[in-house]
């Protein structure tokens, strides 16, 4: 499920490229202030130094203010006393630059994973592994190794039989009949039948808002009834015997089979849920049906999987073990890969792209995907109730400048939906940015805001270099229209928790799907969707979505989708930023990786060869 210099939004400093954490340069800067205390000078005491230093600190120029310390304070520091620490600071900085590439990886940031395992660096590891409750890309990636639905995908992302060995579709395109494999078992050896799928779909709908992807399957007959009552009687799913599952749709859906590859459609073990309750999905209790099962979890930075011996096609699973690793340091991915700690980096931060291109030939993989990055607005916050304010926030962002320096294939987004077959993204405005900025400033003045009365907002984001670059650019743009924005940094799990709870004003968000239809972006803003974290509800939008679903021709559906997206932008329900590609690092020793537009890369298809160790030299 998505980053600063006024002239170039995403300029990468030499220190970023060399993977040097910025905090190390705080040491020489700190020396500029501390070392003068020990420089002998008449009538200059440590007490006096601290008094003046405290005064200066309290009155420093801030990002919003213009207040300056009195000129007389500057004489509190002896000029001659700065020479020695300044010289030391320069020497220390040069030493850091000279030894940047020799700096060893901090063991605290490199979780230990066995060399023979397929090791994947990922954004975060979920606390629990309930497929019905998952909605982040990282969670879906791991769950795809642990669970398998009726349909799965091959190395190229194309559909393959999963738990179902075959299926048929009725002539009207509304009834799907699946025949399950005969050897289906859970990882504890318990038989898996079609009734497990019936139970899982019923549970998905009954969870309501706690199942973020449940709304994606509302096209199943009667799906809205279990959402309210938990009763499967009127649900359009039947399990007439242990190996047959029948699903009836209200309307034909050409993407339904691919939808069944998503985590919301996988089976969950009823016997484990009844035994453990909500704790069934913790690593120690988890029972799965996919190619891998959990071996162990170490804190929040290492999840180890082993090949599931009860998987129906266990002989076709390439790796014996898979390890998912997390690092808190946004500068670590390239260093971890070069040091041999990871084989795959799922999402490469934008500020490391140039380094990977120059120093890691053959590693970088740019995979075009259907995704959009945007700012989510909390429509329950009274500061965002004014349409003029929301439109001004939308118009004032210089998307063209932001995407210029990202160097990751990103293109400006003026609407929600990226380019896909049969649907073009919302066109760029014909007016220049300066014209749009002037319009935004006028809207803010009409809303009652000015330099004397600015609008103050808080943007929630993760503390990553790429996110910081984008957020800094947005803040600069907004300052031009009397909007002062603070940044609230959160870890990725904290960010998602705030979005779900509605505990935010503005938050960065991204959405990626492997389903090439506008509906899977627009559904996020339907009033009944559990992923509508903006709390935006518009009856006209919901009506357009219903009309699109019932339209009989592709042209009719597209017209309704275009009208729904135009309404989103007209009402500034969100602030789109850009559509981007997925950037990954893949070791030359890994085989089986295939880029595909669906972003589907299951670990079961990947394998690696261990690099040969160089022969010991005679001196050794």
């Amino acid at each position: 499920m998505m980053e600063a210099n006024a002239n170039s939004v995403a300029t990468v400093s030499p220190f970023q490229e060399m993977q040097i954490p910025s905090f190390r340069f705080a040491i020489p800067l700190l020396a500029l202030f501390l070392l003068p205390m020990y420089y002998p000078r008449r009538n200059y005491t440590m007490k006096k130094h601290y008094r003046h230093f405290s005064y200066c600190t309290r009155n420093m120029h801030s990002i919003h203010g213009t207040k300056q310390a009195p000129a007389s304070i500057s004489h509190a520091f002896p000029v001659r006393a700065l020479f020695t620490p300044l010289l030391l600071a320069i020497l220390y900085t040069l030493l850091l630059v000279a030894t940047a590439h020799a700096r060893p990886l901090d063991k605290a940031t490199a979780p230990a994973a066995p060399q023979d395992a397929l090791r994947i660096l990922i954004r975060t590891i979920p606390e629990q592994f309930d497929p019905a409750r998952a909605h982040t890309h990282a969670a879906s990636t791991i769950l795809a190794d642990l669970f398998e639905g009726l349909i799965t995908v091959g190395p190229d992302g194309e559909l393959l039989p999963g738990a179902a060995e075959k299926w048929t579709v009725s002539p009207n395109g509304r009834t799907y009949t699946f025949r399950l494999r005969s050897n289906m078992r859970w990882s504890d050896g318990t038989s898996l039948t079609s009734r497990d799928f019936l139970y899982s779909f019923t549970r998905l709908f009954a969870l309501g808002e706690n199942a973020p992807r449940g709304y994606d399957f509302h096209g199943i007959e009667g799906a809205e009834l279990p959402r309210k009552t938990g009763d499967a009687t009127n649900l359009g799913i039947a399990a007439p015997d242990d190996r047959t599952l029948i699903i009836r749709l209200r309307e034909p859906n050409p993407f339904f089979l691919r939808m069944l590859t998503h985590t919301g459609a996988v089976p969950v073990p009823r016997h484990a849920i009844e035994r453990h309750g909500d704790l069934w999905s913790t690593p120690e209790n988890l029972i799965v049906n996919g190619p891998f099962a959990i071996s162990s979890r170490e804190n929040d930075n290492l999840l180890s999987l082993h090949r599931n011996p009860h998987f129906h096609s266990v002989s076709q699973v390439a790796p014996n073990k898979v390890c998912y690793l997390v690092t808190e340091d946004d500068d670590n991915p390239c260093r971890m890969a070069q040091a041999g700690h990871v084989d795959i980096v799922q999402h490469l931060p934008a500020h490391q792209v140039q380094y990977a291109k120059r120093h890691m030939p053959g590693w970088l993989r740019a995979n075009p995907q259907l995704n959009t990055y945007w700012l989510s607005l909390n429509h329950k916050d009274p500061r965002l109730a004014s349409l003029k304010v929301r439109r001004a926030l939308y118009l004032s962002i210089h998307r063209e400048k932001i995407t210029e320096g990202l160097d990751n294939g990103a293109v400006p987004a003026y609407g929600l939906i990226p380019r896909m077959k049969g649907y073009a993204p919302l066109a760029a405005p014909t007016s220049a940015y300066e014209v749009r900025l002037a319009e935004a400033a006028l809207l803010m003045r009409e809303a009652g805001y000015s330099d004397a009365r600015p609008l103050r907002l808080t943007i929630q984001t993760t503390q990553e270099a790429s996110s910081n670059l984008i957020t800094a650019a947005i803040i600069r743009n907004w300052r031009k229209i009397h909007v002062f924005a603070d940044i609230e940094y959160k870890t990725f799990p904290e960010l998602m928790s705030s979005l779900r709870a509605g505990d935010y004003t503005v938050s960065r968000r991204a959405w990626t799907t492997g389903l090439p239809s506008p509906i899977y972006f627009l559904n996020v803003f339907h009033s009944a969707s559990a992923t509508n974290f903006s709390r935006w509800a518009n009856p006209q939008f919901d009506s357009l979505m219903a009309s699109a679903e019932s339209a009989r021709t592709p042209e009719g559906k597209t017209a309704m989708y275009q009208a729904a997206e135009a309404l989103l932008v007209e009402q500034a329900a969100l602030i789109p930023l850009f559509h981007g590609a997925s950037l990954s690092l893949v070791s030359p020793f890994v085989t089986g990786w295939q880029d595909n537009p669906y972003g589907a890369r299951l670990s079961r298809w990947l394998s690696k060869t261990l690099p040969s160790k160089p022969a010991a030299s005679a001196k050794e």
Side-chain angles (χ1 to χ4, degrees):
M1 345 179 201
M2 338 118 285
E3 176 118 325
N5 182 319
N7 298 322
S8 178
V9 170
T11 299
V12 180
S13 73
F15 304 129
Q16 288 175 322
E17 182 173 291
M18 290 183 290
Q19 316 303 315
I20 302 174
S22 58
F23 73 85
R24 300 191 75 192
F25 289 87
I27 297 176
L29 295 177
L30 188 61
L32 292 176
F33 290 99
L34 297 184
L35 288 183
M37 293 189 302
Y38 303 99
Y39 191 93
R41 189 180 182 214
R42 187 175 54 192
N43 299 325
Y44 187 80
T45 65
M46 185 180 299
K47 182 177 180 180
K48 183 178 180 181
H49 170 81
Y50 275 125
R51 184 170 64 251
H52 288 303
F53 177 74
S54 177
Y55 183 93
C56 290
T57 303
R58 290 195 306 269
N59 293 276
M60 283 178 66
H61 167 64
S62 68
I63 191 170
H64 300 312
T66 58
K67 190 174 182 179
Q68 302 292 333
S72 59
I73 296 300
S74 64
H75 299 299
F77 294 94
V79 175
R80 289 182 299 153
L82 294 178
F83 178 77
T84 300
L86 180 59
L87 179 60
L88 290 174
I90 294 173
L91 292 175
Y92 180 79
T93 302
L94 291 175
L95 179 62
L96 283 177
V97 172
T99 61
H101 290 292
R103 182 165 63 91
L105 185 66
D106 186 355
K107 291 182 179 180
T109 62
Q115 181 74 8
D116 59 339
L118 182 67
R119 299 160 303 172
I120 304 172
L121 189 66
I122 201 166
R123 187 181 299 275
T124 184
I125 295 174
E127 290 295 328
Q128 49 83 33
F129 300 90
D130 185 341
R133 300 176 188 270
H135 56 85
T136 66
H137 190 270
S140 298
T141 298
I142 297 175
L143 289 168
D145 282 346
L146 298 173
F147 292 89
E148 182 184 64
L150 295 163
I151 311 292
T152 189
V153 292
D156 56 0
E158 295 303 322
L159 300 180
L160 290 177
E165 62 182 8
K166 58 184 179 179
W167 56 87
T168 59
V169 184
S170 64
N172 65 4
R174 292 178 51 200
T175 302
Y176 290 73
T177 303
F178 298 90
R179 182 67 172 171
L180 269 63
R181 299 174 186 269
S182 60
N183 59 337
M184 295 297 298
R185 293 189 177 277
W186 292 101
S187 55
D188 63 352
T190 305
S191 295
L192 190 159
T193 72
S194 58
R195 292 178 179 83
D196 289 302
F197 280 93
L198 174 60
Y199 167 78
S200 301
F201 273 110
T202 304
R203 176 178 180 268
L204 177 74
F205 299 130
L207 284 172
E209 293 183 357
N210 293 318
R213 302 309 294 266
Y215 185 76
D216 286 348
F217 296 94
H218 76 286
I220 295 175
E221 278 187 3
E224 72 281 359
L225 294 178
R227 176 180 290 277
K228 297 176 181 177
T229 67
D231 181 9
T233 304
N234 297 310
L235 184 63
I237 303 179
D241 59 58
D242 285 353
R243 294 183 58 194
T244 303
L245 187 75
I246 301 173
I247 301 179
R248 298 187 303 275
L249 306 182
R250 289 199 292 260
E251 300 290 343
N253 183 345
F255 303 107
F256 184 65
L257 288 177
R258 186 161 291 278
M259 287 175 62
L260 294 177
T261 67
H262 286 196
T263 55
V266 304
V268 293
R270 182 172 188 169
H271 62 291
I273 295 173
E274 292 176 345
R275 182 184 309 134
H276 299 291
D278 288 342
L279 297 178
W280 81 271
S281 58
T282 57
E284 58 271 19
N285 296 328
L286 191 67
I287 294 173
V288 300
N289 78 315
F292 299 94
I294 293 179
S295 301
S296 64
R297 175 182 177 138
E298 298 179 17
N299 300 318
D300 294 325
N301 60 3
L302 177 60
L303 179 73
S304 299
L305 312 181
H306 64 272
R307 195 156 45 185
N308 176 12
H310 294 288
F311 183 59
H312 59 78
S313 302
V314 63
S315 62
Q316 299 175 15
V317 179
N320 285 318
K321 292 176 282 187
V322 176
C323 290
Y324 284 99
L325 302 90
V326 172
T327 176
E328 294 292 332
D329 191 343
D330 194 38
D331 286 332
N332 270 343
C334 284
R335 290 191 292 119
M336 291 182 71
Q338 285 183 305
H341 292 294
V342 296
D343 307 303
I344 296 171
V345 175
Q346 274 261 341
H347 297 285
L348 183 68
H351 73 281
Q352 293 201 326
V353 173
Q354 281 300 322
Y355 180 86
K357 286 181 176 179
R358 295 174 185 173
H359 304 291
M360 304 177 69
W363 281 77
L364 187 63
R365 309 295 288 264
N367 189 29
Q369 284 190 286
L370 300 174
N371 61 22
T372 303
Y373 294 74
W374 74 83
L375 292 180
S376 180
L377 304 178
N378 187 347
H379 288 264
K380 297 300 182 183
D381 192 308
R383 288 171 292 182
L384 299 175
S386 169
L387 175 58
K388 290 182 178 180
V389 168
R390 299 198 306 272
R391 285 289 300 165
L393 295 176
Y394 170 92
L395 290 168
S396 61
I397 293 180
H398 201 333
R399 294 163 179 80
E400 300 86 352
K401 179 64 72 173
I402 287 177
T403 54
E404 272 179 13
L406 286 179
D407 196 30
N408 62 352
V411 296
Y414 304 95
L416 174 65
I417 304 170
R419 182 176 299 279
M420 59 181 68
K421 186 177 181 180
Y423 194 95
L426 204 64
T430 56
S431 56
Y433 171 71
E434 290 70 20
V435 176
R436 306 195 306 262
L437 183 63
E439 181 183 350
L442 176 61
L443 288 170
M444 289 298 291
R445 288 195 297 273
E446 291 176 351
Y449 294 100
S450 63
D451 281 337
R453 183 179 177 264
L455 173 63
R456 296 189 179 276
L457 301 174
T458 300
I459 302 176
Q460 289 187 359
T461 186
T462 54
Q463 195 165 12
E464 302 169 357
S466 51
S467 294
N468 290 342
L469 293 171
I470 290 178
T471 305
I474 292 169
I475 290 175
R476 289 196 302 275
N477 292 161
W478 282 355
R479 281 178 63 89
K480 299 173 183 176
I481 60 168
H482 321 302
V483 178
F484 288 160
D486 295 319
I487 303 176
E488 184 179 1
Y489 291 111
K490 289 181 174 288
T491 64
F492 187 71
E494 290 171 344
L495 186 75
M496 297 310 302
S497 178
S498 294
L499 281 166
R500 288 193 298 270
D503 183 21
Y504 74 99
T505 302
V506 180
S507 180
R508 76 100 196 252
R509 195 174 179 197
W511 190 258
T512 302
T513 181
L515 301 170
S517 170
I519 192 172
Y520 300 110
F521 284 89
L522 295 169
N523 272 349
V524 176
F525 287 89
H526 194 285
S527 60
S529 173
T531 54
N532 184 358
F533 300 146
S534 67
R535 276 70 178 172
W536 186 70
N538 186 297
Q540 183 183 354
F541 179 85
D542 292 352
S543 177
L544 288 169
M545 294 299 291
S547 298
E549 186 174 0
S550 59
R552 297 298 180 184
T553 65
E555 295 78 14
K557 289 182 180 294
T558 297
M560 293 299 101
Y561 293 148
Q562 290 173 333
E565 183 182 22
L567 181 62
L568 278 177
V569 174
E570 175 190 316
Q571 294 294 312
L574 74 159
I575 301 179
L577 298 175
F578 57 87
H579 309 297
S582 172
L583 295 173
S584 306
L585 294 179
V586 182
S587 167
F589 297 103
V590 172
T591 57
W593 177 286
Q594 293 187 39
D595 292 327
N596 60 81
Y598 309 108
R601 289 177 290 272
L602 304 186
S603 298
R604 63 179 289 192
W605 307 118
L606 304 177
S607 59
K608 75 170 187 176
T609 55
L610 294 176
S612 57
K613 296 182 179 180
S617 64
K619 292 183 179 180
E620 295 175 340

